[in-house]
Amino acid sequence: MSDHTLAARLEITIAIAEEAGQMIIKAREQQGFAQRLKKDNELVTDVDVAVDELISQRLEEHFPGEARLSEELAPESALHETAPKLWVVDPIDGTVNFAQGLRHVAVSIGWMEEGVAKVGVVHAPFLGETFSAAEGSGAFCNGQTIQPSSAESLAHTLVGTGFPYRKEERKQLLKRLEAVLFECQDVRRNGAAALDLCDVACGRLDAYYESVSPWDFVAGWVIAREAGARVGHLYPVPSAVPEDIYPDHLIVTAPGVYDAMAYLLLEADQRKP
């Protein structure tokens, strides 16, 4: 609906994400959910599906007719969606963490208009944190303003990343990992890309790099950008795909280390095995 301001959209999105978070907490307490593997050995639970249905229902109630893209809803159309208004949803980012009883789990809801990501909410129910941002209004965690770290050298850069489910794709990433381990402070792998982006936004991490899926990063991308972090891609984005939904070779860092981090990763890619 065109009469919703960005601020109104953000407020509604926060409420939806937090309602979904309560559903996730209850599901873990009851421990009655089923698990199965999707394509590429990716885990999904019936809680993912139920939470996705809840979010879709709430979005339709408040924003009828607006397109929705989620991990559980037509993911194969991810980079071909041309709707002028698009919700990008991950009902449970960190499904393996959720199933294993770990706390790095998040509801991620982003909104795009004409290919530009403008609203982002990442709610971590087990951490009690809600990150939020709307274009031009800054970024927040539980209502408090956040900003990235002041890191200026790779030696003091704590880096977040992740690895694909397909194990044969992991080997090619070892060159990047080796370079980061040698040149940076250390590496963290928390298992939820949306929260990695938010951790860069609030200064807990100084940098993050990974290739993911659109629903993993769109909301966190808005939050990091609005907080003042630098966001980009290591390689050119295809001309037919909006930059804010293209999920390959992401790099998000504190402003002072973006160029050095990008150079380090690109140089690593060129090294012979």
Side-chain angles (χ1 to χ4, degrees):
M1 294 175 63
S2 59
D3 57 341
H4 281 99
T5 63
L6 286 181
R9 284 183 179 273
L10 182 61
E11 184 178 354
I12 293 167
T13 306
I14 290 172
I16 293 171
E18 291 183 344
E19 181 183 2
Q22 287 302 308
M23 188 176 185
I24 292 169
I25 290 173
K26 185 176 181 180
R28 177 179 280 178
E29 289 172 348
Q30 294 175 343
Q31 284 292 314
F33 53 86
Q35 305 179 32
R36 58 184 169 84
L37 292 177
K38 297 191 295 185
K39 186 179 70 171
D40 298 334
N41 294 317
E42 185 171 355
L43 182 70
V44 65
T45 72
D46 52 9
V47 183
D48 292 77
V49 177
V51 174
D52 193 61
E53 291 174 350
L54 170 70
I55 294 171
S56 292
Q57 179 182 339
R58 294 291 184 263
L59 290 175
E60 183 61 26
E61 289 170 0
H62 291 283
F63 312 102
E66 293 192 3
R68 294 185 296 277
L69 171 69
S70 81
E71 183 170 10
E72 312 310 327
L73 179 67
E76 66 280 355
S77 67
L79 299 183
H80 307 288
E81 180 61 66
T82 57
K85 296 180 179 181
L86 176 67
W87 293 93
V88 185
V89 176
D90 194 343
I92 302 181
D93 183 39
T95 297
V96 172
N97 287 352
F98 169 71
Q100 292 286 130
L102 295 167
R103 296 165 60 82
H104 271 74
V105 174
V107 180
S108 177
I109 306 176
W111 181 72
M112 303 183 68
E113 185 175 37
E114 302 295 347
V116 177
K118 295 188 174 183
V119 171
V121 173
V122 175
H123 171 61
F126 301 113
L127 300 175
E129 293 183 331
T130 302
F131 294 90
S132 60
E135 184 182 58
S137 300
F140 303 86
C141 178
N142 292 348
Q144 300 297 310
T145 303
I146 57 175
Q147 61 185 25
S149 78
S150 57
E152 293 188 350
S153 72
L154 291 184
H156 298 100
T157 296
L158 186 62
V159 182
T161 191
F163 307 105
Y165 286 98
R166 292 173 62 92
K167 292 186 178 180
E168 60 269 25
E169 295 177 1
R170 295 178 180 179
K171 188 174 182 180
Q172 65 192 42
L173 298 177
L174 292 180
K175 292 186 293 182
R176 289 185 182 180
L177 183 60
E178 181 182 27
V180 170
L181 286 170
F182 271 92
E183 300 295 335
C184 300
Q185 178 184 345
D186 208 344
V187 173
R188 295 292 180 268
R189 194 271 199 261
N190 293 320
L195 289 176
D196 286 341
L197 288 162
C198 292
D199 282 345
V200 175
C202 70
R204 294 171 182 164
L205 292 173
D206 305 302
Y208 162 81
Y209 71 93
E210 193 177 2
S211 292
V212 290
S213 296
W215 41 84
D216 296 316
F217 89 95
V218 168
W221 185 259
V222 179
I223 293 164
R225 184 166 58 197
E226 285 296 317
R230 279 190 65 181
V231 303
H233 297 81
L234 287 169
Y235 295 97
V237 175
S239 58
V241 181
E243 181 176 358
D244 286 1
I245 202 172
Y246 187 66
D248 292 346
H249 304 293
L250 303 176
I251 176 169
V252 179
T253 79
V257 294
Y258 184 94
D259 291 336
M261 191 71 197
Y263 180 82
L264 178 71
L265 296 171
L266 288 169
E267 187 180 52
D269 285 354
Q270 301 306 314
R271 291 179 188 160
K272 292 182 180 179

